[in-house]
Amino acid sequence: MIITTTPTLEGHKIVKYCGIVSGETIIGANMFRDFAASIRDIVGGRSRAYESVLIEAKEDSLKEMSARAEAMGANAIVGVDLDYETIGQSASMLMVATSGTAVVVED
């Protein structure tokens, strides 16, 4: 599955538009990550724990979107948009939503 944020694929012709597809992932951060992140806020530096959660959520959302596109008969998704939001009490959960247009392309 080809996935791109661009509206076209260089070297490929879009022969069919299958429709809009999306993928959503909501993942919680636990208290140990929160504790480690609070220390990072004080001493500075990157929060690897939160980065790994963010990467996991993004990859899961893209996989879900790809599976939905494949079920529609698509072999590519164009115009992909990724949105990140915190939700829940005290913003304790991260939501990643992806959307794009499922298409069939040929070389």
Side-chain angles (χ1 to χ4, degrees):
M1 179 74 60
I2 301 169
I3 301 174
T4 182
T5 58
T6 61
T8 61
L9 289 169
E10 189 173 331
H12 297 276
K13 180 181 178 183
I14 296 175
V15 295
K16 181 180 177 187
Y17 288 86
C18 300
I20 296 172
V21 289
S22 63
E24 304 81 18
T25 300
I26 298 174
I27 193 163
N30 65 33
M31 66 182 219
F32 298 111
R33 287 188 186 115
D34 289 343
F35 177 73
S38 67
I39 292 172
R40 287 286 181 206
D41 283 345
I42 296 168
V43 299
R46 296 172 64 168
S47 173
R48 301 265 188 240
Y50 277 124
E51 286 176 359
S52 67
V53 169
L54 183 63
I55 290 166
E56 178 185 350
K58 180 187 76 169
E59 289 174 354
D60 287 350
S61 185
L62 287 169
K63 283 179 193 174
E64 184 177 302
M65 182 179 63
S66 294
R68 289 177 179 167
E70 190 174 321
M72 298 170 82
N75 63 355
I77 306 170
V78 296
V80 172
D81 180 56
L82 290 95
D83 291 313
Y84 301 87
E85 297 288 335
T86 54
I87 60 173
Q89 287 184 334
S90 69
S92 61
M93 302 190 83
L94 173 69
M95 178 182 75
V96 179
T98 55
S99 62
T101 303
V103 297
V104 175
V105 296
E106 60 184 28
D107 294 331

